[in-house]
Amino acid sequence: MRDFASQLDQTPMASRPSVRIARTARSKAESDFATWLMMAKLGSFDDLPPNAQGFLLSYRARLERMSEAESTAVAVREVYASYYSEMGGIGAAPELETVATSVDNTVARSERPRRPPPARLAARPPDRPAARRSVPALLIFAAMVALIAAYRFLTN
């Protein structure tokens, strides 16, 4: 029994990558790369930090060999791996489910379902009309004229 306890103390624990660090790093990598790419397209490449410039230069070099979607995926993966190690992740950055992107890759959409509306907004009393109608300006003007005429008649 004593030998078993001493073996447990000497056996290193297998380090599992932190899923929280991985998710944070992945999210930050996707948003930062999209920001860097937009800034570069707007002519602010020189204002970017040196690491961002390096990632964008390698992205542009890959564009000659592969499609834009593939090059973007590889670039985001590189930024993610860099952020994962900077944030204290141990070992290689794990693969995570990526955010679903639209067909033109300009808008990222989350895969999480939306929350249902609160009950007080969802349940509308049946006696109230569905939409409130606006009162036409002519009707308001006519009512004001009638009130002024009635006031003058009653005061004289």
Side-chain angles (χ1 to χ4, degrees):
M1 188 76 166
R2 183 177 228 181
D3 293 329
F4 180 70
S6 66
Q7 285 178 349
L8 281 177
D9 291 338
Q10 295 173 357
T11 307
M13 294 287 290
S15 61
R16 278 184 45 205
S18 172
V19 175
R20 182 183 302 157
I21 292 174
R23 285 184 182 152
T24 304
R26 182 65 178 208
S27 174
K28 187 174 191 290
E30 288 173 347
S31 64
D32 282 356
F33 184 74
T35 302
W36 298 337
L37 194 58
M38 186 58 61
M39 286 181 69
K41 287 180 180 178
L42 293 174
S44 300
F45 181 80
D46 295 333
D47 296 336
L48 293 171
N51 66 339
Q53 290 179 3
F55 287 123
L56 286 175
L57 289 174
S58 64
Y59 165 77
R60 288 180 182 165
R62 272 192 305 273
L63 277 177
E64 297 173 2
R65 304 188 305 268
M66 57 180 71
S67 71
E68 183 178 356
E70 292 171 335
S71 182
T72 301
V74 171
V76 169
R77 174 73 182 147
E78 289 174 352
V79 176
Y80 161 60
S82 171
Y83 284 174
Y84 181 77
S85 62
E86 286 175 12
M87 292 179 175
I90 300 171
E95 287 295 324
L96 294 174
E97 295 177 12
T98 59
V99 174
T101 57
S102 65
V103 176
D104 62 348
N105 292 329
T106 58
V107 178
R109 300 188 192 278
S110 175
E111 292 181 1
R112 275 190 240 151
R114 293 186 180 199
R115 283 193 239 167
R120 61 182 168 82
L121 295 178
R124 185 179 295 150
D127 58 338
R128 283 184 48 192
R132 187 174 179 187
R133 289 189 171 174
S134 63
V135 179
L138 183 62
L139 182 60
I140 294 172
F141 180 74
M144 288 177 55
V145 168
L147 284 173
I148 292 171
Y151 176 76
R152 287 196 175 176
F153 178 73
L154 292 174
T155 57
N156 287 337

